[in-house]
């Protein structure tokens, strides 16, 4: 296990595998950050039901753009230009969750509740990581993700409280995003994931992170009066 802490000035002398993995994870992270706004701004912003909802959609998008900017700077400093992800079509996104388009408030709410939470998990993998410039951008990003998650959670509860048909719609959205969320953690037996851990660039195995996530969301889903979907149904990455 690699236990050193690396600054930008040390990066050049690092093992090629380390350079490759760090560049890779920063590219994917920057893609996920900008992927959110590309999913929901177009359809959700102009038809927000209240001024507050509209402000929150805009602010959430602005925060994701800022997360992109922060991750892109860390990547740029090691010579990895991630600006191409800004104009990448949704269908080409690295992570499947960002390949569609969000067109309903049920989806927007559950997306915050479940997918921003995966975003938080992804960032928390870098706690105490070997690359210090990456660790330094974490606290602000995680704080903002907590806000996105809370809004999603509250909005989900609010929509459910409006009546039974809404609850069914929310359950359908949850069924979709839950499976999508679990797939975001990747294959359980990923050799690359083990290399990330070896180099101190991730804390947990994919399976461990996914299990922690499932343990965290199950009681929240149940408290909303919803059913926890079958964790294996429709999964693509097991
Ligand atoms: Fe983010
Ligand atoms: Fe977010």
């Amino acid at each position: 296990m690699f236990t050193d802490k690396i600054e930008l000035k040390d990066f050049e002398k690092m093992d090629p595998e380390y350079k490759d993995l760090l560049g890779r994870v920063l590219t994917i992270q920057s893609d996920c950050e900008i992927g959110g706004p590309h999913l929901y701004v177009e359809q959700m912003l102009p038809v927000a039901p209240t001024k507050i909802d509209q402000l929150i959609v805009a602010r959430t998008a602005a925060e994701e753009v800022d997360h992109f900017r922060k991750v892109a700077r860390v990547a740029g400093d090691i010579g990895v230009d991630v600006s191409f992800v800004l104009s990448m079509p949704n269908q080409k996104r690295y992570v499947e969750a960002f390949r569609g388009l969000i067109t309903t408030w049920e989806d927007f709410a559950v997306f915050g509740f479940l997918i921003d939470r995966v975003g938080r998990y992804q960032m928390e993998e870098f706690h105490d990581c070997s690359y210090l410039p990456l660790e330094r951008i974490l606290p602000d990003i995680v704080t903002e993700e907590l806000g996105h998650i809370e809004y999603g959670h509250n909005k989900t509860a609010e929509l459910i409280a409006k009546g039974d048909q809404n609850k069914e719609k929310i359950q359908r959205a949850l069924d979709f995003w839950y499976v999508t969320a679990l797939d975001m953690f990747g294959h359980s037996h990923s050799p690359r994931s083990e290399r990330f851990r070896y180099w101190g660039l991730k804390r947990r195995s994919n399976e461990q992170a996914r299990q922690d996530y499932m343990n965290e969301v199950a009681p929240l889903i149940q408290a909303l009066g919803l059913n926890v979907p079958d964790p294996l149904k429709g999964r693509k990455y097991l």
Side-chain angles (χ1 to χ4, degrees):
M1 277 298 230
F2 181 76
T3 54
D4 291 3
K5 299 289 178 188
I6 300 302
E7 287 287 359
L8 174 59
K9 66 177 170 47
D10 313 311
F11 180 76
E12 246 341 284
K13 38 182 196 282
M14 289 302 293
D15 188 283
E17 186 184 35
Y18 186 89
K19 293 179 177 172
D20 175 62
L21 290 176
L22 184 59
R24 182 184 291 269
V25 80
L26 291 171
T27 304
I28 294 172
Q29 191 59 40
S30 62
D31 188 58
C32 290
E33 297 296 356
I34 207 67
H38 282 256
L39 265 187
Y40 51 71
V41 167
E42 188 184 326
Q43 301 255 347
M44 304 314 293
L45 188 63
V47 298
T50 69
K51 286 180 291 215
I52 284 291
D53 287 310
Q54 190 161 53
L55 188 68
I56 287 173
V57 176
R59 193 185 64 187
T60 304
E63 287 173 353
E64 302 299 4
V65 169
D66 189 55
H67 300 172
F68 166 80
R69 197 184 58 90
K70 288 184 165 110
V71 177
R73 172 178 287 182
V74 175
D77 285 345
I78 61 162
V80 176
D81 181 1
V82 297
S83 54
F84 70 97
V85 305
L86 280 173
S87 55
M88 200 144 78
N90 288 11
Q91 305 89 300
K92 294 260 169 71
R93 294 274 167 221
Y94 283 88
V95 174
E96 228 162 289
F98 300 101
R99 290 186 193 153
L101 208 58
I102 287 181
T103 60
T104 71
W105 285 92
E106 291 80 28
D107 281 312
F108 184 68
V110 176
F111 182 87
F113 175 49
L114 292 181
I115 305 299
D116 285 273
R117 191 182 305 270
V118 179
R120 190 195 96 214
Y121 268 71
Q122 286 169 338
M123 292 315 277
E124 285 175 350
E125 283 306 304
F126 306 134
H127 268 312
D128 209 25
C129 75
S130 58
Y131 193 60
L132 294 171
L134 174 56
E135 203 190 10
R136 280 186 206 110
I137 65 171
L138 291 186
D140 289 347
I141 295 182
V142 170
T143 301
E144 288 172 352
E145 289 307 340
L146 287 169
H148 305 169
I149 296 162
E150 195 189 0
Y151 173 80
H153 192 174
N154 292 340
K155 196 76 194 167
T156 301
E158 194 185 297
L159 290 170
I160 291 169
K162 280 188 175 172
D164 272 336
Q165 223 190 348
N166 272 302
K167 192 171 174 182
E168 283 162 28
K169 285 190 205 162
I170 286 282
Q171 182 70 56
R172 275 202 298 276
L174 188 95
D175 291 348
F176 175 77
W177 292 111
Y178 183 76
V179 168
T180 306
L182 298 189
D183 271 339
M184 285 175 80
F185 291 93
H187 288 289
S188 293
H189 302 286
S190 155
R192 189 179 287 141
S193 153
E194 289 313 306
R195 299 311 293 163
F196 275 115
R197 292 177 77 201
Y198 171 81
W199 285 113
L201 290 169
K202 287 191 179 182
R203 295 188 297 143
R204 291 171 288 202
S205 67
N206 290 348
E207 189 50 28
Q208 183 62 54
R210 176 165 34 235
Q211 197 55 54
D212 290 350
Y213 176 90
M214 288 165 70
N215 294 343
E216 180 178 309
V217 295
L220 301 176
I221 293 172
Q222 283 158 347
L224 288 165
L226 300 167
N227 301 318
V228 179
D230 179 345
L232 296 176
K233 197 176 161 199
R235 288 275 302 284
K236 291 179 181 141
Y237 305 101
L238 287 170

